[in-house]
Amino acid sequence: MTSARSRANFLKLPPRLLLRHSASGSAVPRLMAGSAAHAGRDRGAVAVALLLLLSGCLFRCAACARPSNVVVIVADDQDVQLGGLTPVKKAKELVGDAGVTFSNAFTVSPLCCPSRSSMLTGKYPHNHQVRNNSLSGNCSSPAWQSNMEALAFPVYLSKVRYQTFYGGKYLNQYGRKGAGDVGYVPHGWDQWNALVGNSAYYNYSLSVNGKEETHGDNYNTDYLTDLIFNRSLEFLKNRSPQRPFFIMLSPPAPHSPWTAAPQYQTSFSNVKAPRDGSFNKPGGKDKHWLLRQPVNPMANSSINYLDDAFRRRWQTLLSVDDMVEGLVKKLDEIQELNNTYIFYLSDNGYHTGQFSLPIDKRQLYEFDIRVPLMVRGPGIKPNQTLAAPVLNIDLAPTLLDIAGVNLSTVNMDGQSFLPYMAPSLRNGTARSFFLVEYTGEGHPSVDPSCPKLGPGLSECFPDCVCEDAYNNTYACVRTLTGDNLQYCEFADSESFVELYNLTADPHQLENIVKKVDPTLLQTMNQRLIKLQSCAGSSCREDK
């Protein structure tokens, strides 16, 4: 940046230009006597000097301009592969159509707590060390709070004087006694309205700036999606207009128990889960152990159950859609809409019947790792669909980039995707491949629902279909540039490997690991080894 001294020298008036005072006392230029040619040159010099003076003022005004505001809305378990954006028509119109929709957005771990921890820190799970939703899996543990959470993006936003608000689900173990209880408020948040524990719509507790607030089952006062929206409006009303604001809203929808608002409980009455792709297909011998267990074809009772869940998930999202509409209207009303970035995304995808698994996430397949991502804001042209791969570890650096934080001063694995959305603001390069990793969760004792499969399982249904296990621990390399591939290695007794060509087989029905050139497997294995040990900038090197 030009120094104050050099700017002063740069703006010096020419030697032949003097100032005299008008009758009003203001300084006006006066030319020294001289030839007409000299006079003409001096008039030109005056014009140049005034132009430079004006440019300097504009430069200083631009430097002092208030940074853009940001609103982030994080849905809970909202898929994109199975039509999960269908219910949020207003969000698609007001955010996606008004800006950009990313067609290749992914979570780096398809489960709530590891994924949300990646959003907060900009780090892969092997670096932030949150393995699953349990306290023993480091979800909101004291170790997480004292180490990684202290480096989360809200801390940096607070340092550059953003006014910050959080409302809704945070991390699955947040507020529990082993996780600091409700009195613990993470650094960087000015207004804190966080759900204690996992998603709920009624009958829950909030930590409101460190004090417990209990709620019942009255729709008008307790429905969590509406409550956090209304409190964000209060925050906007009471904010300082001289400083930028950041709002993060995390409604429970469409996570179980799928409790819709009263006015939406009969919506989508004829909707069923999609029957195409891998729906009700056997996992087969070429899938890892957990997917070889479900009975196929699925029982009618299981299909009826997942159809009901599918409908109710969509019903809960209608209130989220209302939230988006209400926020956009409020921002427009207070004349902040044009200076506000709005992000809409989910923590992970979801499945309903794929490979005969009833309902859940946690799997390596596209339906669980792809997520919705729509953004609008300053410098973003409307009606864009971008194919550049974006990960949830990219959210934190993007937010800090918008806030003007020097990204070289933060140690994050992700990269800002502001250049993709608004190329005029930044230059950027899309990654060629990336990592997806998950640590399976199980119970040391035998699950009563499924004694024949032995210990080490979790998330089991009465018909002995389990959604997770200790040996459902894997790491994958996903490529989109060049070959459209997914290569996964399991940490199990079989050292199982799965490989899919997503161009030829978008539903991942056939594991082609035994059909490809061994050199390809070697290349993918080397990429995986590199990514599993990467940290910071090395996670962004496409070599």
Side-chain angles (χ1 to χ4, degrees):
M1 183 179 290
T2 308
S3 68
R5 181 185 297 273
S6 63
R7 284 202 303 271
N9 291 333
F10 188 59
L11 293 174
K12 273 186 178 178
L13 299 180
R16 295 180 59 82
L17 183 63
L18 301 178
L19 295 178
R20 66 177 173 82
H21 289 275
S22 68
S24 63
S26 60
V28 294
R30 176 176 63 84
L31 293 175
M32 292 178 65
S35 65
H38 285 158
R41 284 197 299 270
D42 287 336
R43 290 190 193 97
V46 172
V48 170
L50 291 176
L51 181 60
L52 291 172
L53 189 63
L54 178 61
S55 299
C57 292
L58 291 174
F59 173 83
R60 288 189 294 274
C61 290
C64 297
R66 180 165 64 85
S68 296
N69 313 304
V70 183
V71 174
V72 176
I73 299 166
V74 181
D76 195 356
D77 288 0
Q78 186 176 9
D79 70 276
V80 68
Q81 288 293 92
L82 306 180
L85 283 175
T86 303
V88 291
K89 298 184 186 305
K90 290 178 282 192
K92 288 193 291 183
E93 176 186 351
L94 296 170
V95 181
D97 294 349
V100 57
T101 299
F102 286 91
S103 59
N104 287 308
F106 294 85
T107 178
V108 297
S109 191
L111 187 64
C112 303
C113 202
S115 175
R116 289 165 182 259
S117 301
S118 288
M119 290 184 199
L120 289 165
T121 62
K123 295 178 182 292
Y124 278 117
H126 69 263
N127 286 327
H128 64 57
Q129 292 295 304
V130 177
R131 296 179 294 279
N132 51 48
N133 286 344
S134 66
L135 196 60
S136 61
N138 206 31
C139 180
S140 199
S141 70
W144 152 265
Q145 293 168 4
S146 61
N147 294 297
M148 289 300 160
E149 195 170 42
L151 301 173
F153 73 77
V155 176
Y156 294 96
L157 292 182
S158 180
K159 288 179 179 179
V160 292
R161 303 194 72 242
Y162 269 75
Q163 303 163 92
T164 56
F165 173 94
Y166 192 91
K169 175 178 173 177
Y170 184 57
L171 301 175
N172 295 56
Q173 296 297 325
Y174 171 77
R176 306 295 192 192
K177 289 185 178 180
D181 218 328
V182 295
Y184 171 74
V185 177
H187 295 297
W189 298 105
D190 298 318
Q191 294 296 319
W192 179 251
N193 294 262
L195 179 67
V196 175
N198 203 1
S199 286
Y201 299 80
Y202 294 113
N203 301 306
Y204 55 84
S205 292
L206 291 180
S207 171
V208 180
N209 299 323
K211 295 184 178 180
E212 185 172 14
E213 180 180 283
T214 58
H215 285 266
D217 57 4
N218 184 300
Y219 170 70
N220 293 320
T221 57
D222 301 319
Y223 193 69
L224 184 58
T225 303
D226 293 357
L227 182 143
I228 60 174
F229 165 61
N230 290 329
R231 293 197 177 174
S232 72
L233 298 186
E234 293 176 14
F235 170 77
L236 288 172
K237 179 181 178 181
N238 296 324
R239 81 197 190 286
S240 167
Q242 281 74 46
R243 293 166 53 200
F245 59 82
F246 175 83
I247 295 173
M248 192 166 189
L249 295 174
S250 183
H255 196 286
S256 61
W258 317 304
T259 309
Q263 65 270 30
Y264 296 132
Q265 289 180 359
T266 59
S267 300
F268 308 116
S269 57
N270 296 320
V271 168
K272 294 183 178 181
R275 297 314 202 240
D276 56 353
S278 58
F279 179 85
N280 203 12
K281 294 280 175 48
K285 294 181 180 180
D286 65 350
K287 295 286 190 293
H288 62 282
W289 179 86
L290 189 65
L291 263 73
R292 300 198 294 265
Q293 308 311 313
V295 175
N296 180 266
M298 301 174 72
N300 288 336
S301 58
S302 294
I303 293 177
N304 291 336
Y305 173 77
L306 66 85
D307 278 339
D308 180 63
F310 191 90
R311 281 189 294 271
R312 294 170 64 190
R313 282 167 51 81
W314 278 21
Q315 291 168 357
T316 65
L317 284 167
L318 293 175
S319 293
V320 179
D321 207 29
D322 291 340
M323 170 195 288
V324 175
E325 180 185 39
L327 277 168
V328 170
K329 286 183 177 179
K330 175 55 68 173
L331 292 170
D332 190 35
E333 178 185 312
I334 61 176
Q335 299 182 344
E336 292 284 7
L337 182 60
N338 292 334
N339 190 38
T340 301
Y341 288 90
I342 303 176
F343 292 70
Y344 185 100
L345 68 157
S346 175
D347 51 2
N348 48 254
Y350 205 71
H351 57 257
T352 49
Q354 283 61 49
F355 295 121
S356 302
L357 294 170
I359 54 165
D360 201 38
K361 48 269 187 181
R362 307 168 199 261
Q363 304 304 321
L364 60 91
Y365 307 103
E366 296 282 277
F367 42 73
D368 282 359
I369 66 173
R370 283 186 177 267
V371 294
L373 176 59
M374 304 182 291
V375 191
R376 67 172 290 170
I380 302 177
K381 294 180 181 179
N383 297 304
Q384 295 185 79
T385 299
L386 298 183
V390 173
L391 312 180
N392 60 347
I393 58 172
D394 299 334
L395 178 65
T398 303
L399 298 177
L400 298 186
D401 197 5
I402 290 170
V405 175
N406 184 348
L407 296 183
S408 67
T409 65
V410 299
N411 183 25
M412 294 184 173
D413 303 337
Q415 62 189 39
S416 171
F417 56 90
L418 183 60
Y420 313 150
M421 302 187 292
S424 62
L425 301 181
R426 301 283 191 282
N427 292 319
T429 303
R431 56 171 57 85
S432 298
F433 53 87
F434 56 89
L435 176 69
V436 176
E437 53 189 346
Y438 177 68
T439 301
E441 194 171 356
H443 301 296
S445 58
V446 173
D447 191 300
S449 301
C450 207
K452 69 179 183 180
L453 293 181
L457 297 160
S458 66
E459 307 299 321
C460 295
F461 289 83
D463 55 357
C464 201
V465 176
C466 298
E467 296 276 2
D468 206 3
Y470 287 137
N471 65 5
N472 187 39
T473 297
Y474 56 82
C476 305
V477 175
R478 183 73 170 85
T479 68
L480 287 166
T481 303
D483 294 324
N484 187 13
L485 301 173
Q486 186 178 26
Y487 172 88
C488 302
E489 295 182 1
F490 281 81
D492 60 10
S493 60
E494 300 175 323
S495 298
F496 205 81
V497 177
E498 297 187 27
L499 175 66
Y500 299 97
N501 181 333
L502 278 298
T503 300
D505 180 21
H507 300 295
Q508 297 166 289
L509 298 175
E510 182 184 10
N511 179 6
I512 59 172
V513 69
K514 296 180 180 179
K515 297 183 178 181
V516 298
D517 189 326
T519 58
L520 174 61
L521 299 179
Q522 184 178 8
T523 298
M524 299 298 278
N525 171 261
Q526 291 302 310
R527 287 176 173 176
L528 183 59
I529 291 172
K530 174 187 177 295
L531 284 171
Q532 284 186 285
S533 60
C534 77
S537 61
S538 66
C539 297
R540 306 188 291 272
E541 295 172 356
D542 286 352
K543 295 180 182 179

